[in-house]
Amino acid sequence: MNRLKEKYNKQIRKELQTKLGLKNVLAVPQVKKVVVNAGVGKTLKDPKLLESVIADLRIITGQQPVKTMSRKSIAGFKIRENQVVGVAVTLRGERMYDFIDKLVSIALPRVRDFRGLNINAFDGRGNYNIGIKEQTVFPEISEEGLEHSFGFQITIATDAGNDIKGRELLKSLGFPFAEQEK
C-alpha cells in the first residue's frame, strides 16, 4: 500500500473528521481522481514532438495518455476537425496517491522561485487546479535529452463539496499553500 494512502486512512481521515466537525467517517472528504492534461497546439505540425509529449507524460504519471481530439474546425487557430489538440491522463487509486506524493514531496519543491500554491485556485466545489510550466520539475525527466519543453495542468478532483473542506483535505495531504496576503 502507498505511504500517503496509508497515512490518509490511519491518521488524516480521523483528524479531518474532528477538525471539520463531521459525525460520520464516510463524510470526510477524499481525493477521487487526478487529471493531468497537456495541450499540444505547438506540436501540430511535427508529430515527433507529439510523441515526445506523450512519452514524457507516460513517464511522469506511469500511465498511457489519451489523445484528445478537436470537435470542430477553427480556421483562426488552424485547427481541423478530429485533429489532436491535447493529451490527458486520469489517475485513480494507487497511482493517484503515488502521483500526489511525488508532486508534493519532490516536484513542487523543485519549481524555480516557488513560494507556495495559490489558495484561490479552487473551483467552488473543492477541486483544485495547478499549472506546471515545464515537465523538468519531475525527476524522471532529464534535461540533457530534452527535445522540447511543455507545460501541463493538474486537476485534483475531490468529493469535498466546497472549497473549505477541499482546502483542509489538501493541506492535510501536504500541499504547500502560500499564505494569503491581506
Side-chain angles (χ1 to χ4, degrees):
M1 184 184 273
N2 183 297
R3 71 179 184 138
L4 185 62
K5 185 176 183 179
E6 191 174 314
K7 182 180 178 185
Y8 174 79
N9 288 330
K10 291 183 178 178
Q11 178 186 354
I12 295 172
R13 188 175 238 174
K14 293 172 187 163
E15 291 173 2
L16 276 176
Q17 184 179 3
T18 56
K19 193 171 192 176
L20 297 174
L22 302 171
K23 294 179 181 171
N24 192 340
V25 72
L26 296 176
V28 176
Q30 59 185 353
V31 179
K32 288 297 183 186
K33 66 181 176 179
V34 173
V35 180
V36 180
N37 182 21
V40 292
K42 295 178 183 175
T43 65
L44 291 176
K45 294 182 177 43
D46 190 2
K48 184 179 173 190
L49 290 178
L50 174 66
E51 293 305 318
S52 76
V53 169
I54 290 172
D56 285 352
L57 274 183
R58 184 184 318 117
I59 291 169
I60 290 169
T61 61
Q63 191 169 305
Q64 178 69 26
V66 175
K67 296 176 184 174
T68 55
M69 307 292 202
S70 61
R71 285 181 265 153
K72 61 182 183 178
S73 297
I74 303 172
F77 294 116
K78 298 179 182 173
I79 294 175
R80 304 288 168 250
E81 189 173 351
N82 293 326
Q83 189 175 16
V84 177
V85 292
V87 291
V89 179
T90 302
L91 302 169
R92 291 183 170 89
E94 295 287 327
R95 285 191 181 147
M96 174 186 71
Y97 282 106
D98 284 337
F99 181 79
I100 291 173
D101 194 17
K102 181 170 49 171
L103 176 71
V104 170
S105 60
I106 299 171
L108 289 177
R110 290 180 60 164
V111 174
R112 185 177 297 144
D113 297 331
F114 183 70
R115 292 188 179 89
L117 295 171
N118 184 1
I119 201 132
N120 299 319
F122 285 91
D123 68 349
R125 298 178 191 257
N127 303 319
Y128 190 72
N129 293 296
I130 304 169
I132 304 288
K133 291 185 178 172
E134 58 183 26
Q135 76 270 30
T136 56
V137 297
F138 287 91
E140 297 91 356
I141 308 298
S142 66
E143 292 186 33
E144 288 100 35
L146 193 65
E147 294 174 24
H148 129 269
S149 180
F150 66 93
F152 53 92
Q153 177 189 9
I154 301 169
T155 302
I156 295 132
T158 68
D159 64 354
N162 62 36
D163 291 349
I164 296 166
K165 289 181 183 176
R167 190 175 302 123
E168 289 302 321
L169 170 65
L170 295 184
K171 276 184 186 176
S172 63
L173 288 175
F175 279 77
F177 289 108
E179 295 300 318
Q180 190 172 10
E181 297 177 11
K182 294 182 181 179

